[in-house]
Amino acid sequence: MASIGQIVNPTSGSDALSRARQRAALVPDCLVEAQRIANTVIAGWHGRRKRGIGENFWQFRPYSDGESLARIDWRRSARDDHTYIRDHEWEAAHTIWLWADMSPSMMYKSTFGHVSKESRALVIMLALAEILARSGERIGCPGIMEPISARNAAERLATALMHTPLTGGLPQTAMIRGWSDVVLIGDFLDDSDSIMARLGPLARRGLRGHVVEIADPAEETFPYTGRTEFTDPETGERLVAGRAETIREDYQRAYLARRHSLGESLRQLGWAFVTHRTDHLASEALVAVHTHLSGMPTKATHGGQL
């Protein structure tokens, strides 16, 4: 039967160097796509829900002796016998760390997916950087770019990605301080216990986390039939199934159990968990993550489950 999936642009020889060049060639297109998607999503950051200097109204509250008379809202005060202050939201810049997994497994693309998992992860990360930068937030990428507050943060992150040695697995996080947000984007195919062993300490340090699992449709549905050879993109190990359809139910059960276990463990930490398939629009995952970053509740939807 015809191949259902493949590793995008397979290389030989100096694999690390070749893949680094491929990623550098991929990033500019991903940046253009990310900017297009960002323009379709409502930009703007919901305030910190603290009183302070900002443009957005937060609340009216009674006037207290000693406060500036300039802050009195005379229109609201005229409605009854009390004098009211008009408070605004505090909109100080916040630090958000963005990271996308560049492991070999992320290069997979089946005939059912629109793009590779790697491409979709990069687009979501750069689109988030674009929206957050417009809102005045500080954007960083662990081991790749220190946090910056700049309108062109997405472009600078893309440039840094093009010139950074290729690495896989979860990022180093020693440089991330508490009271920040971290967005992790990858396929997270390792067992949930090993993943949580890395993420648990981050939550205990005060970080607010948002995990985006990128999945190819074939990884969920397992559409293989007949004699099929599977290759582990990380190790090169091969497995031949004489009749692949006979193991479909067991595979799907194990795949979904891993996702459920990871999602429940993350929710216990107070972290958000989003699943996204590459046959869905990237904007779905972008909206779901940005909504959680803004502190707003959202309902679970496939392609953006929380």
Side-chain angles (χ1 to χ4, degrees), residues 200-271:
L202 298 183
R204 289 190 287 273
R205 281 163 45 190
L207 289 173
R208 206 167 64 124
H210 315 267
V211 174
V212 184
E213 181 200 60
I214 306 294
D216 186 277
E219 293 177 322
E220 285 192 355
T221 61
F222 200 81
Y224 309 99
T225 58
R227 181 180 173 84
T228 306
E229 180 180 278
F230 300 94
T231 303
D232 186 331
E234 308 282 347
T235 65
E237 185 177 352
R238 298 176 184 272
L239 171 67
V240 177
R243 295 176 57 197
E245 64 272 19
T246 63
I247 62 174
R248 180 176 297 127
E249 290 187 6
D250 289 339
Y251 167 85
Q252 290 177 323
R253 190 179 301 111
Y255 183 88
L256 294 177
R258 171 203 55 82
R259 172 182 289 170
H260 177 77
S261 175
L262 177 61
E264 286 301 308
S265 297
L266 289 168
R267 292 184 188 100
Q268 289 176 12
L269 294 180
W271 285 29

Side-chain angles (χ1 to χ4, degrees), residues 42-45 128 131-132 135 285-295:
I42 299 176
W45 185 263
L128 272 174
I131 288 180
L132 295 170
S135 303
L286 183 61
V287 168
V289 177
H290 186 259
T291 298
H292 262 277
L293 282 166
S294 303

Side-chain angles (χ1 to χ4, degrees), residues 18 31 90 102 119 128 144 156 159 176 234 251 262 282 306:
S18 298
L31 177 60
W90 181 57
M102 297 292 109
S119 175
L128 272 174
I144 294 177
R156 292 169 67 172
T159 300
I176 302 179
E234 308 282 347
Y251 167 85
L262 177 61
L306 302 175

Side-chain angles (χ1 to χ4, degrees), residues 1-301:
M1 65 177 292
S3 174
I4 288 177
Q6 63 177 338
I7 300 298
V8 178
N9 294 324
T11 60
S12 59
S14 302
D15 288 345
L17 178 58
S18 298
R19 283 195 55 210
R21 289 172 175 168
Q22 290 165 9
R23 184 181 60 174
L26 178 67
V27 167
D29 289 339
C30 287
L31 177 60
V32 172
E33 177 68 3
Q35 291 172 331
R36 183 190 68 79
I37 293 171
N39 287 331
T40 67
V41 175
I42 299 176
W45 185 263
H46 292 263
R48 297 291 164 223
R49 310 307 296 176
K50 295 180 181 179
R51 188 168 66 249
I53 299 174
E55 296 180 356
N56 296 326
F57 169 74
W58 178 26
Q59 66 174 4
F60 291 116
R61 63 178 177 82
Y63 170 78
S64 298
D65 290 339
E67 293 191 273
S68 172
L69 296 179
R71 299 184 58 206
I72 294 177
D73 190 289
W74 297 107
R75 180 177 297 180
R76 174 66 184 86
S77 300
R79 297 178 189 173
D80 54 41
D81 297 330
H82 299 284
T83 302
Y84 291 94
I85 292 290
R86 182 184 183 90
D87 279 336
H88 292 79
E89 295 178 4
W90 181 57
E91 296 179 338
H94 189 61
T95 299
I96 298 96
W97 295 87
L98 306 176
W99 171 86
D101 188 7
M102 297 292 109
S103 298
S105 65
M106 291 293 291
M107 298 182 72
Y108 180 75
K109 176 188 178 301
S110 75
T111 56
F112 305 105
H114 298 323
V115 294
S116 69
K117 294 186 290 181
E118 178 188 45
S119 175
R120 181 54 55 85
L122 285 170
V123 165
I124 293 173
M125 178 171 68
L126 293 172
L128 272 174
E130 179 75 14
I131 288 180
L132 295 170
R134 292 181 190 181
S135 303
E137 306 303 328
R138 301 176 70 241
I139 309 301
C141 185
I144 294 177
M145 186 179 79
E146 290 295 319
I148 60 171
S149 179
R151 293 282 295 184
N152 66 340
E155 290 90 338
R156 292 169 67 172
L157 176 56
T159 300
L161 287 167
M162 292 171 61
H163 297 91
T164 301
L166 196 66
T167 58
L170 291 171
Q172 297 299 317
T173 58
M175 76 293 293
I176 302 179
R177 301 292 181 262
W179 310 111
S180 299
D181 281 79
V182 57
V183 180
L184 306 175
I185 309 169
D187 52 18
F188 300 98
L189 293 177
D190 293 331
D191 67 272
S192 61
D193 288 342
S194 63
I195 294 174
M196 294 309 301
R198 292 286 307 279
L199 300 185
L202 298 183
R204 289 190 287 273
R205 281 163 45 190
L207 289 173
R208 206 167 64 124
H210 315 267
V211 174
V212 184
E213 181 200 60
I214 306 294
D216 186 277
E219 293 177 322
E220 285 192 355
T221 61
F222 200 81
Y224 309 99
T225 58
R227 181 180 173 84
T228 306
E229 180 180 278
F230 300 94
T231 303
D232 186 331
E234 308 282 347
T235 65
E237 185 177 352
R238 298 176 184 272
L239 171 67
V240 177
R243 295 176 57 197
E245 64 272 19
T246 63
I247 62 174
R248 180 176 297 127
E249 290 187 6
D250 289 339
Y251 167 85
Q252 290 177 323
R253 190 179 301 111
Y255 183 88
L256 294 177
R258 171 203 55 82
R259 172 182 289 170
H260 177 77
S261 175
L262 177 61
E264 286 301 308
S265 297
L266 289 168
R267 292 184 188 100
Q268 289 176 12
L269 294 180
W271 285 29
F273 181 60
V274 175
T275 65
H276 175 75
R277 281 177 32 162
T278 56
D279 59 340
H280 288 225
L281 296 175
S283 57
E284 293 180 11
L286 183 61
V287 168
V289 177
H290 186 259
T291 298
H292 262 277
L293 282 166
S294 303
M296 297 173 58
T298 185
K299 294 182 179 180
T301 58

